[in-house]
Amino acid sequence: MSPLERRDLLRLAALGAAGSLTAACADGSARSAAVQPSPVRSTPSAGTAAAAGSAAPGPAGLPRLAAGLPFEIGTGPRDRPAVALTFHGQGDPAIAGSLLAEAERAGARVTVLAVGSWLDEQPQMARRILDGGHELGNHTQNHGAISTMSADDAYQEIARCAQRLTRLTGTPGRWFRPSQAQDCTATVAAQARRAGYAHCLSYDLDSLDYTDPGPDAVTRTVLDAVRPGSVVSLHFGHTGTVAALPAILDGLHQRGLRAVTTSELLS
């Protein structure tokens, strides 16, 4: 373990107040996870990022991230007129394709955290996502409850999905998001680092679209709470999300907010 990893783990442990966590899942359920350490998050500011300069480059073709970002990221800068729409990637590829087309008609770019087993079944979706100008990341191989897994099992879930992404696109992607959990535990964070990921991507706004409440409800949930810098959790595989997306994007436009990839939000 490097000094940096050790320092971050100690910081997580120090902040690890007991609590409960409700995790949104792409299989249409909400689960209460076991007691987990509190995540380490911050809200970067555009001014700080610009002053600090850029960090080390990520995967080829992606913008450099601002320096000083924490390992776990739940929001972007609150002083920029942009948000990141992030999608848990699995489900019917036809629905996913329709959703991407709706985003592209509005000039929006999104971030997809793909499940590795979904990419095994639908390998064409990896290029479809990237060719649309969107960003692709890791949401574990089988979408199990990663917070409850042993360290080695969690590592295998992350590493196997990274291998799928690399095989299909030439890169494991920049972002890792834990499956069936909003935040990384200390154990999962260590395994994500071991697999090569510098950040865990959480979110600050849950659309609850996986509960299939209808497109109007999904739209209201997002537009009532969205703020500059928001990272919004959404899902492939739900027709209500496709139906809601045009109204969400129109509402963001009316608020002067652009939907950009997570790397663009944090660059």
Side-chain angles (χ1 to χ4, degrees):
M1 178 182 297
S2 71
L4 179 60
E5 289 173 329
R6 185 179 300 108
R7 185 185 63 192
D8 285 348
L9 288 175
L10 289 171
R11 182 171 57 174
L12 279 167
L15 295 174
S20 63
L21 175 68
T22 299
C25 302
D27 60 1
S29 63
R31 297 177 174 85
S32 294
V35 173
Q36 305 292 350
S38 299
V40 178
R41 297 185 189 172
S42 70
T43 300
S45 70
T48 300
S54 57
L62 293 180
R64 288 174 178 263
L65 298 180
L69 293 176
F71 175 74
E72 179 143 338
I73 295 171
T75 71
R78 296 298 192 191
D79 50 2
R80 289 180 179 173
V83 300
L85 303 182
T86 65
F87 289 84
H88 300 228
Q90 64 177 7
D92 186 334
I95 296 176
S98 296
L99 195 147
L100 292 170
E102 289 291 352
E104 290 154 13
R105 269 193 282 274
R109 295 200 282 188
V110 305
T111 301
V112 180
L113 291 311
V115 175
S117 58
W118 181 68
L119 291 177
D120 288 344
E121 297 168 356
Q122 312 293 340
Q124 78 282 2
M125 290 305 301
R127 289 307 327 172
R128 169 65 185 89
I129 291 164
L130 295 180
D131 289 347
H134 311 290
E135 190 168 20
L136 188 59
N138 183 325
H139 196 35
T140 74
Q141 178 60 24
N142 294 300
H143 201 264
I146 196 166
S147 300
T148 67
M149 296 179 187
S150 69
D152 283 344
D153 286 348
Y155 173 75
Q156 289 299 324
E157 280 293 308
I158 302 167
R160 288 177 62 197
C161 185
Q163 291 164 3
R164 299 301 186 278
L165 290 166
T166 301
R167 188 181 65 205
L168 292 170
T169 70
T171 169
R174 172 176 275 161
W175 308 108
F176 164 70
R177 173 170 287 170
S179 47
Q180 299 193 28
Q182 182 174 356
D183 303 308
C184 278
T185 65
T187 296
V188 173
Q191 301 316 308
R193 287 192 177 92
R194 180 183 170 194
Y197 289 94
H199 299 285
C200 173
L201 181 60
S202 182
Y203 48 88
D204 66 321
L205 202 172
D206 189 345
S207 71
L208 301 177
D209 62 339
Y210 59 90
T211 65
D212 293 320
D216 291 345
V218 174
T219 301
R220 283 196 304 272
T221 298
V222 173
L223 294 182
D224 286 353
V226 72
R227 301 168 56 195
S230 285
V231 178
V232 185
S233 173
L234 296 139
H235 293 76
F236 279 178
H238 296 265
T239 56
T241 306
V242 180
L245 192 60
I248 290 172
L249 293 171
D250 185 58
L252 294 177
H253 178 73
Q254 292 177 17
R255 289 163 171 76
L257 297 172
R258 295 182 300 114
V260 300
T261 67
T262 303
S263 285
E264 290 170 326
L265 182 70
L266 295 162
S267 63

